[in-house]
Amino acid sequence: MHHQINTYMNNKDYEARIQELEAEVKMLREDNLKLMNRNMQLGQMVDAYYDVRRRIQMMKELVIRHQELLKHADLRDDDELMAVIETHLEENLSYTNPDFGLKELAELVGTTQTRIVELFRRSTLHKSLDDYLDYLRILRSMFLLQTQPSWSIAACAQEAGFTVIRSFNRKFQDAIGMTPHEFRLLCESNKIE
């Protein structure tokens, strides 16, 4: 009988120990789950960190490349730079946007605003960038006046990049020696039928 009491107590101790171990296993599982979540969060943070570093590196490379382009653009001689400007402007007709100016041109051809100002300051043909843009806009308006007879003169002027019709008329007459209306009449009378 004495042996049965020890066995009974041993079974009781054994069950208590099992419960303790089960509680400990449960705690370890919870701790493990917390650690796995934390590990995932840290992994995401590390990924985000490396993504930001990669983007910063890409931006640095772009800035360096842009600075190199600006250096080389400024080394071009005036004739070469003017040819680059003319090519870019003829390809995309960006000068027909009335808001197109020095800043936009510098970005378009990859040079500095100062370099463009100096180019036109030394130019014998155009006194300033604004004069040059007006010249291109007048040429464009002449083309439109000739090829779009159904358009009004104001529509041709606006399409060429002029916003004020009075200013367009004055600049056109100064450049061509006749009004836009006279030019259109001349084009119509010289049409080959």
Side-chain angles (χ1 to χ4, degrees):
M1 187 142 171
H2 180 64
H3 183 36
Q4 269 186 334
I5 291 175
N6 281 345
T7 305
Y8 175 71
M9 289 179 81
N10 283 341
N11 282 341
K12 197 175 186 185
D13 287 341
Y14 180 70
E15 286 176 19
R17 182 70 182 136
I18 287 176
Q19 287 178 349
E20 285 175 18
L21 290 173
E22 285 175 348
E24 205 171 311
V25 166
K26 185 179 177 187
M27 278 182 27
L28 287 172
R29 279 189 181 144
E30 289 173 2
D31 287 348
N32 190 35
L33 192 59
K34 287 178 188 173
L35 286 172
M36 285 172 46
N37 285 336
R38 181 67 180 143
N39 194 20
M40 269 193 343
Q41 289 172 346
L42 289 174
Q44 290 170 346
M45 288 170 67
V46 166
D47 287 348
Y49 170 76
Y50 282 113
D51 186 52
V52 167
R53 284 195 56 175
R54 183 182 56 80
R55 289 174 188 228
I56 289 171
Q57 186 60 37
M58 285 173 52
M59 290 304 295
K60 282 181 183 177
E61 289 171 11
L62 285 173
V63 166
I64 289 168
R65 203 170 338 152
H66 185 69
Q67 288 171 339
E68 286 299 313
L69 283 173
L70 290 179
K71 282 182 199 171
H72 294 304
D74 285 348
L75 293 176
R76 292 183 186 131
D77 67 24
D78 286 357
D79 291 337
E80 185 181 347
L81 181 57
M82 195 63 196
V84 169
I85 289 171
E86 288 172 354
T87 301
H88 280 297
L89 292 179
E90 281 305 313
E91 282 175 359
N92 62 24
L93 301 177
S94 47
Y95 62 87
T96 60
N97 176 349
D99 297 326
F100 184 83
L102 180 60
K103 178 178 178 258
E104 292 77 16
L105 180 60
E107 288 173 6
L108 182 67
V109 298
T111 192
T112 61
Q113 294 179 34
T114 304
R115 177 68 175 96
I116 292 174
V117 169
E118 289 171 358
L119 171 73
F120 283 100
R121 196 174 285 147
R122 287 191 292 269
S123 172
T124 54
L125 191 56
H126 305 286
K127 297 178 202 118
S128 69
L129 175 61
D130 288 338
D131 285 344
Y132 178 64
L133 293 176
D134 283 345
Y135 163 77
L136 292 176
R137 290 171 179 148
I138 287 169
L139 289 178
R140 182 75 181 155
S141 69
M142 290 171 69
F143 172 76
L144 295 170
L145 287 165
Q146 192 172 11
T147 60
Q148 303 298 329
S150 63
W151 290 13
S152 69
I153 289 174
C156 292
Q158 188 175 12
E159 189 68 23
F162 289 99
T163 53
V164 179
I165 190 72
R166 183 179 293 157
S167 172
F168 164 69
N169 285 329
R170 182 180 43 79
K171 288 177 181 180
F172 192 97
Q173 183 150 8
D174 288 348
I176 307 302
M178 62 180 80
T179 67
H181 180 70
E182 291 168 338
F183 176 78
R184 179 170 262 175
L185 290 174
L186 180 67
C187 290
E188 287 172 1
S189 68
N190 289 331
K191 271 189 185 169
I192 299 171
E193 298 196 28

